[in-house]
Every structure is written in C-alpha cells, then in structure tokens.
Amino acid sequence: NYTFDSAGIINVQDLSIKSLEENPCSNFKFYGTDSYSTVLDMYINRYIHVEDKKQCSSALKLTNIVSKLSSQTAFSCYFRESTDSDTSSGSYCKHVKFNTFYLNSEQKYIVITKSDITEMYKQEMFQEQMLENALDKARKASSAKSDFLSRVSHDIRTPLNGIIGMTNLALDKNIPDDIRKYLINIDKCSHFLLSLVNDILDLRKVETGNLE
C-alpha cells in the first residue's frame, strides 16, 4: 500500500530529481537522476487537465517552490489529472495533491510527493452538497415561516379588529343591560385574543424562547 503515488528529492543546486519511493502505477515518473523541469514538463503535458496546466506549471516551478518554502515549512497544491492521454478533451477523473518540504535545515534538497486524493475530494464534495441542501431547506423553511406569519398576521388581526370595532359601535347604542354585559365580555375577550395573537406573531420572542 502506498500513501502517495511518487516521492522524490529535488537537488536545489543542480536542479535534478531522484526517486525516493514510487508506486508502479504512478504517472509522475523519474529514473536515476533526471532534470526536475524535464520530468515536470512531461507529466504536465501528458496528464494534467487542460484547464490546470498553466496553474500546475507555475505552482510546481522550482523557483516558486523555493519561494513558498522560504516562509512556510511545507507547500501543497492541488490539480486534476485527465482521463485521456490527450488532455485537450477536457475530461478528468483524478484529483491529485503535491506536497513539498525541505529534507533538512540545510535546505539543499526538497522532498516532493504526489498523492491521489480523488476519494477524499469526492467525500468533501458530497459533504458540501449535503450542507448546501440543508442550507437550502433551512432558507425555504425560514421563508415559509415568514410568509405564514405574514398571512396569519393579516388574516387573524383583520377579523379581530372588526369584531372589536363592531362591538364598540354596538356599545354606543341604547341597548338592554344584559346585551351590554354580553358585548362588554366580547370586547374583553377580543382584546385578550388580539394581545395573544400579537405575542404569538412576535417572531423574536418565539425564536428566543421568551414567549409566555
């Protein structure tokens, strides 16, 4: 089992690269002591996805790696590998990660590894999609809740205000005492119900748990 496809050491002085460990199935190959730039150009031209070629060439350029490692202990970058030998088709199936760091404090040699992170990438994309779906559902639920409260606010308050208004008009008339008593109770109940509706529709109180 390989934790990475390829592992090599770049000699910063003579710009060569030699193998540390190599997966037989790796496409980032170097034998003996090859020129790092030659190995990199061959790999990019044959395997890197057409949209990532320029970025890969710039990121893995030795001068860029040395620059990055001057301010950090390790430098990593991610690219897509094409499924076809002719990468102009634009198809791809693998996501790969390159990791670089100095072999020791002398900073004469840089270790470079390439790993296949396709499954990890798929899992991350799946998790992101799940989170996006959950967020979308939450947004829809929030929108539905706001719409519901808006409709209820109008549909309940309007008839209640009508009941209160008609009751007050009736109380202004010359009516029997027993009917007036009924109307006064209707008015009290209507105001209590309106107050209760106002509290229920106070979304802030509902969400913070302060509704009594």
Side-chain angles (χ1 to χ4, degrees), residues 9-36:
I9 294 183
I10 304 172
N11 187 319
V12 179
Q13 295 178 333
D14 64 15
L15 310 182
S16 64
I17 183 171
K18 64 180 180 180
S19 177
L20 271 178
E21 181 176 354
E22 185 173 303
N23 185 331
C25 298
S26 174
N27 52 23
F28 187 62
K29 295 180 179 294
F30 30 88
Y31 306 96
T33 303
D34 297 326
S35 165
Y36 171 69

Side-chain angles (χ1 to χ4, degrees), residues 115-211:
S115 306
D116 183 350
I117 59 167
T118 305
E119 290 304 315
M120 183 188 306
Y121 177 84
K122 288 181 179 179
Q123 291 177 5
E124 289 179 355
M125 290 300 99
F126 176 76
Q127 291 174 352
E128 285 185 13
Q129 186 61 50
M130 293 290 288
L131 290 174
E132 183 62 32
N133 292 341
L135 181 59
D136 184 58
K137 288 181 180 179
R139 286 170 178 164
K140 289 180 179 178
S142 178
S143 177
K145 179 172 60 177
S146 298
D147 182 63
F148 169 77
L149 291 175
S150 176
R151 291 176 182 272
V152 168
S153 174
H154 177 270
D155 293 346
I156 292 183
R157 283 193 179 113
T158 299
L160 274 176
N161 286 327
I163 293 171
I164 293 172
M166 294 297 104
T167 302
N168 288 333
L169 289 175
L171 286 171
D172 289 338
K173 303 296 182 180
N174 186 15
I175 54 177
D177 290 342
D178 56 341
I179 301 299
R180 181 175 298 277
K181 181 179 178 181
Y182 297 152
L183 290 173
I184 290 174
N185 286 333
I186 290 174
D187 185 64
K188 288 181 179 179
C189 290
S190 297
H191 278 93
F192 174 77
L193 184 56
L194 181 61
S195 175
L196 181 60
V197 169
N198 288 337
D199 285 342
I200 292 175
L201 296 179
D202 189 337
L203 186 59
R204 181 181 57 82
K205 288 185 178 180
V206 173
E207 291 181 338
T208 58
N210 292 325
L211 180 65

Side-chain angles (χ1 to χ4, degrees), residues 46-53 80-95:
R46 290 192 59 185
Y47 298 105
I48 288 295
H49 185 272
V50 62
E51 295 177 359
D52 290 357
K53 286 181 182 293
R80 295 169 293 179
E81 286 188 355
S82 174
T83 55
D84 307 318
S85 58
D86 178 10
T87 57
S88 62
S89 67
S91 59
Y92 67 94
C93 67
K94 290 179 64 176
H95 291 261

